[in-house]
Amino acid sequence: IDQKVILNPKSLALKQNTALEEVYISGKIILVEESFFRIYKISKEETERVYNESLLLIAKKYPGREFVIKLRPNQPKENSRWIKPLEKQGIAYNILDSNEPLEVQLTKANDCILIGTVSSLLYYGSSFGHESYSNYSILSDLQKSCFDEANYYWAKVKAIGL
């Protein structure tokens, strides 16, 4: 009988691509870009409201923490949904290299806070010992989606407003 082996991700030695410029992420708030709002056709007004409210809640809960944005692969920063609300609220930020796997960085980092909607990065972040928050719960008039019943996901990812 095969025995299940659970590995500690922080004990893994992963090959690094030293050509990539890294922003050290330990202790930072990581804002995750994702396609949820576009795919579910959430209005521009609702999207801006959710992102602004998310920033207000997190900045209040974790004052003094630095913010970084994790763009989607090959996403230009001009298409980021996080930049406008950050700048509107006068919050400084950095942008992570969009092609470097954040999962690799999370295995080496400590005390990160991840913010998003339903990205798998939130789930992995929690699995790797970080805190992950979703703004899914503060969406208004959201039609039922597959994420409503994803109990395994919500067991690891906290609702941002709670």
Side-chain angles (χ1 to χ4, degrees), residues 14 18 21 43 57 70 118 129 145:
L14 301 171
T18 55
E21 180 182 332
S43 72
L57 290 166
K70 172 58 179 141
V118 291
S145 75

Side-chain angles (χ1 to χ4, degrees), residues 29-31 48-63 67-69 81-93 115 135 138 160:
I29 295 171
I30 302 167
L31 305 172
E48 289 177 4
R49 183 193 67 76
V50 168
Y51 277 74
N52 279 311
E53 190 171 325
S54 299
L55 286 175
L56 288 171
L57 290 166
I58 287 301
K60 182 178 179 181
K61 185 173 177 105
Y62 299 99
F67 285 80
V68 293
I69 299 172
R81 295 186 186 268
W82 285 111
I83 291 177
K84 185 177 177 183
L86 283 164
E87 291 177 346
K88 179 180 177 183
Q89 294 181 36
I91 299 173
Y93 62 90
I115 313 299
N135 56 22
I138 60 176
I160 199 167

